[in-house]
Amino acid sequence: MPGFPARNDPTAMALNPTDLYDIRSLLSEEERMIQDSVARFTDEKVLPIIGDCFDQGRFPKELIPEIAAMGLLGSSLPEQYGCAGLNAVSYGLICQELERGDSGIRSFVSVQSSLCMYPIYAYGSEEQRLRWLPAMARGEVIGCFGLTEPHGGSDPANMKTVARKDGDDWLISGAKMWITNGNLADIAIVWAQTGDGIQGFIVEKGMKGFEAHEVHRKMSLRASVTSALYLDNVRVPEANRLPNVKGLKGPLGCLTQARYGITWGPIGAAIACYTSALEYSKERVLFNRPIAATQAVQLKLADMARRITLAQLLSLQLGRLKDAGSMQPAQVSLAKWNNVRVALDIAREARDILGGAGITTEHPPIRHALNLESVITYEGTETVHQLVIGREVTGINAF
Ligand code: TGC
Ligand code: FAD
């Protein structure tokens, strides 16, 4: 900074402000390549339009073909279903780089990949996999996931949606609320009570009695489609029931996949906010010095860098555990809780460093802060994840 003393030791190699621990060196060459290509996509295709999309309340669906062509839909599923067969760390890096653009873009990919393609892959018949997965990987069929209901999402065991057997078919009735991609989707994975536990069904757009209504007036995730789903005696053939799972562990198993990705995504949002505040603070001159030269602002920036570094290490270790096949749901809960909280706090602090300029979508922090208000609620609220950890360490269920 001209006119201001720099580091004490000018010969020391400068660290990368967004990767103080050189965590990138822990990635394989393939993982780095994937991160770089998604980062380029975010820089070139997402960032130039996303502020306007957020202002207009519009999901940029024109990006879907390129997202699909890059192999980002169902990226961890096997190549025999038209997917990229990447490891868990690569999926995490994809989420991180997409959410550096906007949580809405990462949400779209999370839902398609972890909440729709994953259950078809993990719980579906071979016929269902072959019918849906390749087309979903190509982005030609879009999915959504209906678990939450209007009376309370934290306790899905208490769902009211029912599926009754009627000859060779099922009749499904109920309502689902806050469903990402709802009005975009060609199919919905709908979870319903049956006489034999909770089961999953592939409900297709156009089936009689099935409607999606978009949620308006959102102040968060404005560049994402959120809907209510209504099912009034929708006739669904037995061929659309996911045959290989029964009980709440079905939907919760999908959530573990999606929550894993969500531990990474908000790191991207946090990096975007921190970088924005860092750059702004070096330019903004008050009381005859850049605000970056004040101790108060440096404390905030240093704390952001610390928290981002810890979140990165947490997700990377989680990813390595997942790739080794030993990741536990409670470990995912801890990282989802920590990393979303870190990102939300960083977004709010970055917004503050930008002063009045921080309240417009010309700069990313307010958009990320508003988005992260959803991210901290969906896929299990912060409280739910805290109680999962509480249950894990005490052995007592406090829900
Ligand atoms: P509980 O008795 O704990 O478990 C019932 C069965 O499920 C198994 N299980 C899990 N399996 C896989 N992954 C997990 N995370 C699991 N957690 C539990 C468990 O072993 C048991 O299996 P079994 O064989 O013994 O029957 O169930 P509970 O009723 O006590 O509930 C626990 C609680 C509160 C943690 C759970 O209900 C919960 O996670 N609630 C939050 C619901 C939630 O997260 N909803 C998210 C909806 S989808 C969404 O938000 C998408 S946003 C996407 C986007 O836009 O990016
Ligand atoms: P509630 O469950 O009613 O919770 C209200 C409050 O009570 C929260 O603060 C909660 O932490 C607290 N609480 C709950 N239990 C306890 C307890 N035992 N002790 C103390 N406090 C407690 N769902 C889907 O199925 N599919 C989707 O695609 C999807 N996308 C979403 C997109 C957006 C933008 C949003 C906002 C939500 C989405 N959801 C989706 C729903 C989301 O998962 C739920 O909002 C979430 O699970 C919480 O449910 P709820 O909103 O009904 O809140």
Side-chain angles (χ1 to χ4, degrees), residues 42-59:
T42 292
D43 290 339
E44 291 170 9
K45 301 291 169 66
V46 178
L47 291 179
I49 62 167
I50 200 65
D52 286 343
C53 291
F54 188 93
D55 291 346
Q56 294 155 11
R58 180 179 83 79
F59 171 71

Side-chain angles (χ1 to χ4, degrees), residues 107 111 115 144-155 176-181 218 220-221 224-226 255 373-375 377-384 387 398-399:
S107 262
V111 169
L115 296 182
C144 67
F145 177 87
L147 178 64
T148 303
E149 300 191 350
H151 60 273
S154 297
D155 183 16
K176 300 289 177 180
M177 190 58 198
W178 308 114
I179 306 305
T180 300
N181 295 351
K218 285 186 303 176
S220 175
L221 277 182
S224 169
V225 174
T226 314
L255 295 185
E373 293 290 347
S374 285
V375 182
T377 289
Y378 68 35
E379 295 278 1
T381 66
E382 184 175 59
T383 307
V384 161
L387 293 177
F399 284 106

Side-chain angles (χ1 to χ4, degrees), residues 204-270:
E204 298 175 44
K205 186 176 179 173
M207 284 180 163
K208 194 158 172 279
F210 178 45
E211 285 180 15
H213 293 200
E214 193 159 349
V215 175
H216 295 292
R217 298 183 156 191
K218 285 186 303 176
M219 298 303 290
S220 175
L221 277 182
R222 289 183 52 75
S224 169
V225 174
T226 314
S227 311
L229 305 182
Y230 298 101
L231 300 107
D232 182 9
N233 268 318
V234 182
R235 183 169 290 279
V236 176
E238 166 65 13
N240 282 28
R241 182 178 66 85
L242 298 174
N244 297 327
V245 79
K246 280 184 188 143
L248 195 57
K249 66 174 182 287
L252 293 184
C254 305
L255 295 185
T256 295
Q257 306 303 313
R259 289 167 177 173
Y260 163 74
I262 293 176
T263 75
W264 287 84
I267 298 171

